[in-house]
Amino acid sequence: FFIIPRRFCFVMLQRASRCGMPSRFLPTALLLLASLWSSTTFAGSGEERCRRSVVQRHSALPSAPPVPFGAARQRLRDATGASELTAPLPWPPETAEIMVDAHSIIQWYWNETLEIEQDLNLVHDKFMFWPGRVVNAAKLLVRRYGLDRPPSPWSPVIVVFDLPDPGMTWNGKQVKLYRNLARQGPTIHDGLTFAWSNTYVDTSASEMYRCDREVLYMLEMLSRPYPRRQVLVTADPKLAEQAELFSLVRGPEWFDQELQSLGQEGQAAREALLGLKEDNSLEDL
């Protein structure tokens, strides 16, 4: 068996068609050319090449493989500077607008709870009650931030959520409800704006359900008409590095300090995020 050059196949097929080859032979000739394509273009079989291309595409995805949260926390400090994660804002709070990456905040509070309750084996679903607890905590920031800001289609405090991964959950109804919320777009309720992953950038085909694309899209869109004083609160080091083009970045530690400075209500919201007490206000959501 020998490999026929691809150029030779094209030339012979063109000459045959000019000479009046019967049309019934053309499909056979095209099939022959298609079968020879892989062997004349790349080394290896078509199956091996397909497998290799899939691996290359996955390795080129913008989302890195999951890393231990301690390592991610250190990467966040390296990306933004350890002192900046908890530093006070350089502006009056009434001129600042806050965007909260909800599910990275949830993961941070879970790890804080593990440090407090070291003898407990905590297993939670971060798409059940915990988003509501982040919302209740973010409501308290509305009283302090964004009271004197440029016009905006959204509230001064925005909370952005991930979507549940259908391959990682047994709750199909939960997946459906979150997708319906994402299709509705950002929603304003009780002084807050809620947004979800896959609202502006559909990444479901790549099986990526993080809200990082929506966060960057909204930050960039808000910064177009007017200069703004935006603050992103996240524990995601990659998102923090990308968002520095549009906003200041603060870590979950800054968010936790803000709650502690808001008196008894802030302390109650913080304890609910830590799972140290029941959050009865979830019934109002």
Side-chain angles (χ1 to χ4, degrees):
F1 182 76
F2 59 93
I3 298 175
I4 302 176
R6 186 177 58 192
R7 178 63 181 171
F8 175 77
C9 293
F10 274 121
V11 172
M12 294 303 295
L13 185 59
Q14 290 175 353
R15 290 182 178 179
S17 62
R18 293 171 184 171
C19 294
M21 175 187 284
S23 60
R24 65 178 180 274
F25 294 138
L26 285 176
T28 304
L30 292 174
L31 181 62
L32 175 63
L33 179 60
S35 64
L36 294 173
W37 184 277
S38 62
S39 59
T40 57
T41 306
F42 302 102
S45 65
E47 181 181 358
E48 293 176 356
R49 188 174 69 256
C50 180
R51 187 184 307 113
R52 184 165 58 249
S53 64
V54 169
V55 172
Q56 291 172 350
R57 287 200 303 269
H58 277 279
S59 63
L61 290 176
S63 178
V67 296
F69 194 79
R73 197 168 175 180
Q74 184 59 44
R75 284 170 52 193
L76 177 63
R77 293 177 180 274
D78 295 341
T80 61
S83 60
E84 294 184 9
L85 291 177
T86 58
L89 300 184
W91 322 299
E94 59 270 12
T95 64
E97 299 173 80
I98 310 297
M99 184 175 292
V100 180
D101 178 9
H103 280 94
S104 69
I105 300 295
I106 291 171
Q107 184 66 50
W108 183 85
Y109 274 102
W110 285 2
N111 284 270
E112 291 297 302
T113 304
L114 285 175
E115 294 181 4
I116 298 173
E117 304 287 349
Q118 298 181 3
D119 57 332
L120 295 181
N121 182 16
L122 302 179
V123 180
H124 300 301
D125 183 354
K126 62 181 179 180
F127 294 97
M128 290 291 289
F129 302 107
W130 300 92
R133 295 180 177 182
V134 174
V135 167
N136 285 332
K139 281 182 182 178
L140 303 177
L141 301 182
V142 177
R143 308 172 186 176
R144 177 179 295 181
Y145 291 96
L147 303 178
D148 182 15
R149 60 171 185 143
S152 170
W154 300 313
S155 306
V157 179
I158 302 174
V159 185
V160 192
F161 302 96
D162 298 344
L163 294 186
D165 186 346
M168 300 295 292
T169 180
W170 53 267
N171 194 339
K173 184 178 181 181
Q174 181 188 82
V175 173
K176 183 177 180 180
L177 290 174
Y178 269 84
R179 285 179 175 176
N180 288 338
L181 291 171
R183 294 189 188 102
Q184 295 174 19
T187 302
I188 300 176
H189 174 72
D190 206 6
L192 291 175
T193 294
F194 306 136
W196 290 268
S197 175
N198 283 352
T199 295
Y200 295 114
V201 184
D202 188 356
T203 57
S204 57
S206 58
E207 299 182 353
M208 296 172 58
Y209 301 97
R210 279 284 289 137
C211 63
D212 51 352
R213 299 298 97 186
E214 274 62 38
V215 167
L216 294 174
Y217 188 98
M218 296 174 76
L219 287 175
E220 193 270 342
M221 187 164 60
L222 284 172
S223 63
R224 284 188 177 186
Y226 304 101
R228 294 182 182 275
R229 296 175 173 179
Q230 301 183 108
V231 181
L232 172 64
V233 183
T234 182
D236 185 339
K238 186 172 183 178
L239 176 58
E241 184 177 0
Q242 295 172 337
E244 284 184 336
L245 294 173
F246 312 108
S247 68
L248 286 181
V249 176
R250 292 294 180 266
E253 297 90 344
W254 179 87
F255 186 79
D256 191 61
Q257 289 178 2
E258 289 296 306
L259 293 181
Q260 295 184 54
S261 67
L262 291 172
Q264 187 175 358
E265 288 181 313
Q267 188 63 31
R270 179 177 182 270
E271 292 178 358
L273 284 169
L274 290 170
L276 302 179
K277 64 173 293 185
E278 294 292 333
D279 190 358
N280 297 326
S281 59
L282 290 177
E283 300 176 358
D284 300 332
L285 292 179

